[in-house]
Amino acid sequence: MISYARQTHEEQPAAAPPPVEEHIAPAPRVSVQAFCETVETAAAVQSAGEDRRLGKAHLKIQMGGMAAAIEAYRSAPTPNVIVLESDGRNDLLGGLDQLATVCDAGTRVVVIGRINDVTLYRELVRRGVSDYVLAPVGAIDVVRSICNLFSAPEAKAVGRIIAVVGAKGGVGASTISHNVAWAIARDLAMDAVVADLDLAFGTAGLDYNQDPPQGIADAVFSPDRVDTAFIDRLLSKCTDHLSLLAAPATLDRVYDFGTDAFDAVFDTLRSTMPCIVLDVPHQWSGWTKRALIGADDILIVAAPDLANLRNTKNLFDLLKAARPNDRPPLYCLNQVGVPKRPEIAAAEFAKAIESQPVVSIPFEPQIFGSAANNGQMIAEISAHHRSIEMFLQIAQRLTGRSETKKQKSSLLSPLIEKLRGR
C-alpha cells in the first residue's frame, strides 16, 4: 500500500484542543483538498482556510466524503494534503484501501471521524494516515492538524513573530518594541531579532548603538537572494541573545513595497530564530496590514488621548475580525502623566476597547531621552527603574514565557568555578 505520510505523533486518540493562545506554525505553500460529509464540517474547513496560518495554502472543499475522493483521484493527481470526513468504521478502512490505489506517494491524509476508539486509531496509523481528528471540529482544529503536518516534533521550532505598532505617530512604539525585545533576550533567555521595518526613518540602529553596513533593505530589494545564510550576514549582533535587522534610515530611494515584499524575510527568520520582533511603522498599506495580520502576537502602543483611542479601537476591531482563531491583540498605554495634558483614564480606555492594557508606562522624558541619545536600553541606564518590570510583563505576555530563574550562588561557587577551569 502507498504510504501517505510518516506518522509523527503518539498513538492515542485526539485530545481536547489546547487554548487558542497556543503557538501553531504556519503551513507552507501546499494544496489541500477536503471531502466533507456534513455541512458543519465543511463550514469549519472553510473557516480554517481563511485563517492566517493557512494563508499560503490553496484549499478546495467538496462534499461526498470518501466516495467522492476516490472518484476524484481516478483521473486527477492528488494534492499535498487530503482531508476526509467519515462517519463509519468499516467504510473508512475499506475506503482508505481503495484510495491508496489512486493516491500519489507523499500525499498526507487527515481523517475527521466520530469514533473515539484507540483500536481504530492504530488501524489508521498502520495505513499511513497522518492525523485523526474527532468530530465535531472547529476551524482551529483543522488549522492545527494541517499545520502540524509540516512542523515535525524533531524539527527546530518555528519562530514566533511579534508585531509592535503605534496607534498614532510619536507614541513611542519603537522604543517599547526595542526594550521589550531586550527583555525577551536578557530576562527570558530567548534568541530574538528585531526587524526594523521603517526603512526611511527607523531608529533601532540608534537605540542599540549599531551602524551595520547592511540590513533589511538588502533583503527586501533582493528577494531572490534571501535564504538563511544571506539573512545571517545581514544581522547585527547586539547581545548574546539579541540581533538586529536594521533599517538603512536614508532617503536616497523611495520605499514603495508590494503586499508580499517582506514574506521571504519573515519566512527565513522564522526558520532560524525563536522570536522575531517587528517594529512596524505607523502607516497603513498592504504590507503593514499583512505583517500585522500574519504575526503570532500583536502589541499596540497608545498614548491616552482621543485619537489614540479611536485608532486603537479600529486596529482591534480589524485584527480580531481578520484573526478569528487567535487571541486578540494586546495594547499598552505609554507616556502617561504628561504635565498639564488632559488624558483619558486607563479605565475609560479599557471600557472602550473592551480589554485592559497590559501596562501603563509613565511619562519620564529624562531617562527615556537619555537612553535614546546614548544608544542604550532603559535597563542599561538604570537597572532598577520601574519601567523595566513593565517591559518584562509585556515580554512574558507576548511570548507566554516566565522569567528565567537565575541560579543562586553558594559559598562553594568560586571554588567550583576554579575546579571547572582546570
Side-chain angles (χ1 to χ4, degrees), residues 72 129 132 136 141 146 201 223 266 302 315 362 404:
V129 168
Y132 181 69
D141 301 309
I146 295 174
F201 304 106
F266 296 162
L315 281 169
T404 302

Side-chain angles (χ1 to χ4, degrees), residues 172-192:
S174 291
T175 298
I176 301 300
S177 67
H178 303 162
N179 279 275
V180 168
W182 183 273
I184 290 172
R186 187 190 71 162
D187 300 317
L188 306 185
M190 290 180 66
D191 287 333

Side-chain angles (χ1 to χ4, degrees), residues 13-15 111-117 131-138 141:
V111 174
I112 299 173
R114 299 182 183 278
I115 302 173
N116 189 5
D117 179 69
D131 196 13
Y132 181 69
V133 185
L134 197 62
V137 296
D141 301 309

Side-chain angles (χ1 to χ4, degrees), residues 366-382:
Q366 184 160 355
I367 188 167
F368 279 85
S370 296
N373 288 337
N374 294 337
Q376 292 178 298
M377 297 294 99
I378 300 300
E380 295 178 289
I381 293 285
S382 176

Side-chain angles (χ1 to χ4, degrees), residues 120-406:
L120 172 62
Y121 185 85
R122 286 172 176 161
E123 281 297 316
L124 296 176
V125 171
R126 191 172 66 82
R127 282 169 165 80
V129 168
S130 298
D131 196 13
Y132 181 69
V133 185
L134 197 62
V137 296
I140 192 64
D141 301 309
V142 179
V143 171
R144 183 189 302 110
S145 180
I146 295 174
C147 290
N148 285 349
L149 297 178
F150 302 95
S151 56
E154 64 270 15
K156 187 173 181 179
V158 176
R160 175 187 293 264
I161 289 185
I162 295 169
V164 182
V165 66
K168 190 170 177 285
V171 296
S174 291
T175 298
I176 301 300
S177 67
H178 303 162
N179 279 275
V180 168
W182 183 273
I184 290 172
R186 187 190 71 162
D187 300 317
L188 306 185
M190 290 180 66
D191 287 333
V193 60
V194 173
D196 191 343
L197 304 187
D198 190 351
L199 273 67
F201 304 106
T203 59
L206 296 175
D207 285 353
Y208 290 121
N209 197 24
Q210 300 285 325
D211 187 21
Q214 295 177 303
I216 194 167
D218 298 271
V220 175
F221 289 111
S222 304
D224 54 325
R225 297 178 59 195
V226 173
D227 58 20
T228 301
F230 183 62
I231 292 295
D232 283 345
R233 290 197 298 271
L234 301 181
L235 292 176
S236 175
K237 197 170 184 64
C238 301
T239 69
D240 287 342
H241 290 290
L242 183 63
S243 299
L244 170 65
L245 196 53
T250 59
L251 303 179
D252 55 351
R253 67 194 308 173
V254 176
Y255 302 106
D256 290 333
F257 302 120
T259 301
D260 58 355
F262 288 87
D263 284 7
V265 178
F266 296 162
D267 289 345
T268 305
L269 287 172
R270 274 189 187 275
S271 68
T272 59
M273 194 68 65
C275 185
I276 303 100
V277 179
L278 305 182
D279 181 1
V280 183
H282 179 72
Q283 65 180 69
W284 197 241
S285 62
W287 69 265
T288 53
K289 179 180 178 181
R290 185 179 179 92
L292 290 173
I293 292 175
D296 296 293
D297 284 287
I298 303 163
L299 175 70
I300 302 169
V301 180
D305 63 32
L306 185 59
N308 276 272
L309 176 57
R310 179 201 63 187
N311 295 352
T312 301
K313 176 65 173 172
N314 288 343
L315 281 169
F316 249 77
D317 291 345
L318 180 139
L319 292 171
K320 286 171 67 176
R323 299 155 48 89
N325 302 312
D326 292 88
R327 68 174 177 179
L330 303 177
Y331 77 97
C332 71
L333 294 177
N334 190 34
Q335 301 173 351
V336 175
V338 175
K340 299 182 180 180
R341 181 182 71 177
E343 295 182 349
I344 297 176
E348 293 300 317
F349 221 94
K351 183 178 179 181
I353 304 298
E354 299 180 344
S355 176
Q356 293 291 331
V358 183
V359 295
S360 294
I361 303 172
F363 177 68
E364 297 190 65
Q366 184 160 355
I367 188 167
F368 279 85
S370 296
N373 288 337
N374 294 337
Q376 292 178 298
M377 297 294 99
I378 300 300
E380 295 178 289
I381 293 285
S382 176
H384 302 290
H385 192 267
R386 56 181 173 173
S387 64
I388 297 173
E389 182 62 31
M390 297 181 184
F391 296 140
L392 179 56
Q393 284 181 251
I394 297 173
Q396 290 171 327
R397 288 285 300 276
L398 288 171
T399 62
R401 292 198 178 191
S402 299
E403 182 178 5
T404 302
K405 301 297 182 184
K406 298 178 176 60

Side-chain angles (χ1 to χ4, degrees), residues 59-106:
L59 176 64
K60 183 179 179 181
I61 303 172
Q62 294 178 236
M63 303 302 291
M66 181 71 72
I70 295 171
E71 185 61 32
Y73 299 130
R74 291 189 192 280
S75 57
T78 50
N80 301 112
V81 180
I82 299 174
V83 179
L84 292 170
E85 182 183 15
S86 177
D87 287 335
R89 179 193 184 96
N90 295 329
D91 291 344
L92 172 58
L93 298 178
L96 286 172
D97 291 340
Q98 291 184 57
L99 183 63
T101 64
V102 296
C103 188
D104 299 333

